[in-house]
Amino acid sequence: MGSHNGSVYALDQATGCTRWHFKAATEVRSAVTIDLVFASAPPPASAPAPAVARAIFADRAANLYALDATTGALLWKQNVDAHANAAITGSITSFEGMLFVPISSNDDINAMDPSQSCCTHSGAVVAVDATNGEILWTTRTVTEPAQITGRTKIGTTVWGPSGASVWNTPTLDIDRRLLFVGSGNNHSVPATAMSDSVLALQIDTGKVAWTYQSVEGDAWNAACIYGVGVSCPDPEGPDTDFGATTILGKIDGRKRLFAGQKSGWLHALAPETGALAWKVRVAIGGAEAGIRYGMALQDEVLYVSSTHQAEGDANEPRVQPGLVAVSARDGSILWQADGEALCAGDADCDGAVTAPPLAMNEIVFAAGLDGVLFALDRSSGERLWSFDTARDFTTLRGTTTRGGGIAGTAGPMFANGRLFVSSGYGQALRPGNALIAFSLD
């Protein structure tokens, strides 16, 4: 697992003890991908050869790392985007000796500084040779070069177009040899054709096979939210990224691609063409709301975490922030576990669920901005139990740490009879620093 100070840890699942520790150049926001590589071509089953398990991850400065997963030794490091504001927040997808890397941006945050020129960076997907880190191809989400489009009231240059970051992990379609990613809004005007979109890229070349754009004209950066103003685009867009990773699943014998958006809309697409099969709104949504970080799919049911940012009008659907179960066949809502029902009167719980849920055989796990972990009946949404992680814990070293909000990049994870939860997220207004292991006995 990675951390905000750039430390990457390999922990023993049974005891929590550290096997090794590696320090990256800066924050590691992505999960760690384990890539198994043979020293030569995979041998026949009768004569297995040694293989090296590699830990692949990236940092907030667009550096990609490959470590020996057993020892933590660095095998290679590659910067995949030389722009000063390039970043990587999604995780890495591995296939056939290639690594597919999503490129996002720090441009939108840096726009808060009135002295900084906004904005010149664009999102991308980069394919890398897994053996040595060599870049094979790069596909930008903004194809036009950024140019000076004006100046702010204090004289700072304004550039565009820019943005359309890829915040999420590429989804692989082996049959069609396609990669699917979602893109965010533009960070400056003019808005472009592949922002707020789902994109399909050819695995071997990076060529764009199709695009599905749900919102046009969405240019926004953080200067808009915090009132700095000088770098906020005019007109200001709604900031409705496809921030969550897409999900490819087989539904009623055919594949469907599902994409959740911060606007609160859930889209089902044909993976071969990008044609819309259906869409449904599960939250009112907004810049800090809607479907932000991820979903789960199990037995043709999508489990979607959602939050509201603003009150709707009479034409808005009757949905509540929390967790929504949606039929993957037609988009019909099967049940809703709204925030009030999830909290069941607990004073320190607000029921806003943003972290990616985890769907298993009978249970779906969901976690909230306030730090509460829920176990729900997967068929009905009934609350089975909950645990407030925003509390003090005694660590393995005998010191004290504290949990907090559960949001952002890390939802619950299950392995070998244990449920692992990362608790504490400063942007959720409840910071903390705890990795918690639960037994499901």
Side-chain angles (χ1 to χ4, degrees):
M1 61 182 302
S3 67
H4 280 238
N5 71 0
S7 290
V8 178
Y9 302 94
L11 305 180
D12 186 289
Q13 287 189 23
T15 66
C17 293
T18 302
R19 296 285 189 88
W20 53 255
H21 164 250
F22 177 87
K23 190 66 180 290
T26 186
E27 175 187 357
V28 175
R29 197 173 177 87
S30 67
V32 178
T33 299
I34 301 299
D35 182 37
L36 191 65
V37 179
F38 288 91
S40 57
S46 58
V52 176
R54 294 186 296 191
I56 309 293
F57 56 89
D59 67 20
R60 197 68 185 262
N63 296 307
L64 183 65
Y65 300 83
L67 308 186
D68 184 308
T70 304
T71 66
L74 178 65
L75 301 175
W76 53 258
K77 173 185 174 183
Q78 172 72 276
N79 183 271
V80 294
D81 191 323
H83 193 286
N85 283 337
I88 299 172
T89 53
S91 302
I92 314 305
T93 300
S94 171
F95 179 65
E96 290 187 347
M98 295 180 285
L99 304 173
F100 302 100
V101 186
I103 306 295
S104 57
S105 180
N106 297 314
D107 253 354
D108 61 335
I109 299 298
N110 292 339
M112 295 172 60
D113 183 351
S115 66
Q116 295 288 321
S117 295
C118 178
C119 295
T120 58
H121 184 255
S122 70
V125 177
V126 179
V128 170
D129 187 317
T131 60
N132 56 22
E134 177 188 356
I135 295 176
L136 303 175
W137 53 255
T138 299
T139 299
R140 292 278 171 196
T141 56
V142 177
T143 57
E144 306 91 329
Q147 301 178 359
I148 295 176
T149 59
R151 292 184 179 273
T152 67
K153 293 179 181 179
I154 64 171
T156 308
T157 54
V158 177
W159 295 72
S162 65
S165 290
V166 181
W167 302 102
N168 44 71
T169 303
T171 299
L172 184 66
D173 186 342
I174 296 174
D175 295 336
R176 297 176 178 84
R177 298 191 70 79
L178 293 176
L179 288 174
F180 305 111
V181 295
S183 67
N185 53 273
N186 291 108
H187 293 152
S188 56
V189 293
T192 56
M194 289 193 290
S195 61
D196 287 359
S197 299
V198 179
L199 312 176
L201 310 181
Q202 294 178 0
I203 286 175
D204 300 298
T205 64
K207 181 179 179 181
V208 178
W210 55 256
T211 65
Y212 168 82
Q213 186 175 46
S214 65
V215 177
E216 298 179 353
D218 184 7
W220 181 95
N221 62 53
C224 303
I225 247 186
Y226 294 103
V228 177
V230 293
S231 293
C232 181
D234 184 15
E236 177 186 342
D239 182 20
T240 53
D241 303 8
F242 280 102
T245 298
T246 57
I247 294 179
L248 183 68
K250 183 170 284 188
I251 310 300
D252 196 22
R254 60 183 175 182
K255 286 188 176 180
R256 281 280 183 261
L257 182 69
F258 303 100
Q261 195 172 5
K262 289 200 303 186
S263 60
W265 284 97
L266 173 61
H267 309 255
L269 308 176
E272 60 272 14
T273 63
L276 180 67
W278 54 259
K279 66 178 184 178
V280 62
R281 199 170 196 181
V282 300
I284 296 171
E288 299 289 328
I291 308 167
R292 294 190 68 190
Y293 295 115
M295 307 176 290
L297 174 66
Q298 182 84 351
D299 297 335
E300 300 192 350
V301 177
L302 287 155
Y303 299 92
V304 187
S305 55
S306 64
T307 58
H308 291 351
Q309 180 160 302
E311 294 297 328
D313 57 31
N315 296 319
E316 296 288 355
R318 299 287 295 177
V319 292
Q320 301 293 330
L323 192 73
V324 184
V326 179
S327 168
R329 292 193 173 204
D330 57 14
S332 58
I333 294 178
L334 304 176
W335 53 257
Q336 300 174 51
D338 62 66
E340 183 177 354
L342 288 177
C343 290
D346 294 349
D348 293 329
C349 172
D350 66 14
V353 175
T354 58
L358 172 64
M360 298 178 64
N361 291 338
E362 299 176 352
I363 297 174
V364 57
F365 295 98
L369 288 170
D370 49 21
V372 178
L373 171 69
F374 301 97
L376 308 178
D377 184 288
R378 197 165 64 79
S379 61
S380 66
E382 176 188 358
R383 176 174 124 160
L384 303 176
W385 55 262
S386 63
F387 185 92
D388 188 356
T389 69
R391 44 162 283 195
D392 290 338
F393 295 92
T394 300
T395 72
L396 293 174
R397 294 181 176 180
T399 59
T400 299
T401 192
R402 185 169 181 82
I406 303 173
T409 57
M413 184 191 80
F414 181 81
N416 299 325
R418 287 177 171 83
L419 184 73
F420 298 93
V421 178
S422 177
S423 174
Y425 188 62
Q427 286 180 262
L429 304 180
R430 298 193 77 175
N433 189 27
L435 176 66
I436 308 164
F438 295 87
S439 170
L440 297 187
D441 292 343

